[in-house]
Amino acid sequence: MLIHAVGSGVGLAAVQLVRAIQAVPYGTSRTADKIEQSKPLGLEAGLVLRHNFDDLPAAAEKWTAGKGINVLLDLVGGPYIKASQKAMAYKGRMILVGTVAGGTYELDAVMS
């Protein structure tokens, strides 16, 4: 599972819940400190994501051995949506909870 804004209160709770069901949580944050602070609570790995959204699909591919993200919890919205779409596994699910980065976003109708 990938959690955007992993260092937030909801993000940290999600990390712990994901570990409780014996799944593997990954996360993004705007700062490296928040990713490091999330690791003692169970975060497997994280990515600092500010404006470099092209890094997300590559990180997801690395984390999942090319399978993509099965479940994504997006607490940010905005441009994170399109980048997340590119990181998703076939039949993956994305849950959009927050839109602090903006309520407007684009999706690709055709995925390669």
Side-chain angles (χ1 to χ4, degrees):
M1 179 172 179
L2 178 60
I3 304 158
H4 289 312
V6 74
S8 69
V10 174
L12 292 172
V15 167
Q16 294 172 77
L17 289 169
V18 169
R19 281 293 180 187
I21 63 168
Q22 299 172 350
V24 182
Y26 299 97
T28 66
S29 177
R30 291 176 49 84
T31 66
D33 289 348
K34 288 185 180 180
I35 290 172
E36 290 307 313
Q37 292 169 358
S38 303
K39 287 183 178 178
L41 295 173
L43 185 69
E44 184 73 17
L47 174 69
V48 175
L49 195 60
R50 289 190 187 121
H51 303 291
N52 54 336
F53 295 104
D54 292 337
D55 293 346
L56 183 59
E61 185 173 322
K62 176 183 166 192
W63 295 333
T64 64
K67 296 176 186 172
I69 300 296
N70 288 313
V71 179
L72 189 139
L73 178 63
D74 189 342
L75 306 172
V76 185
Y80 286 73
I81 301 286
K82 191 171 186 176
S84 296
Q85 183 186 16
K86 294 176 183 177
M88 299 297 295
Y90 179 69
K91 294 190 179 184
R93 282 103 40 220
M94 184 186 311
I95 304 156
L96 177 61
V97 177
T99 56
V100 294
T104 304
Y105 49 85
E106 293 182 16
L107 294 174
D108 286 329
V110 179
M111 296 297 296
S112 53

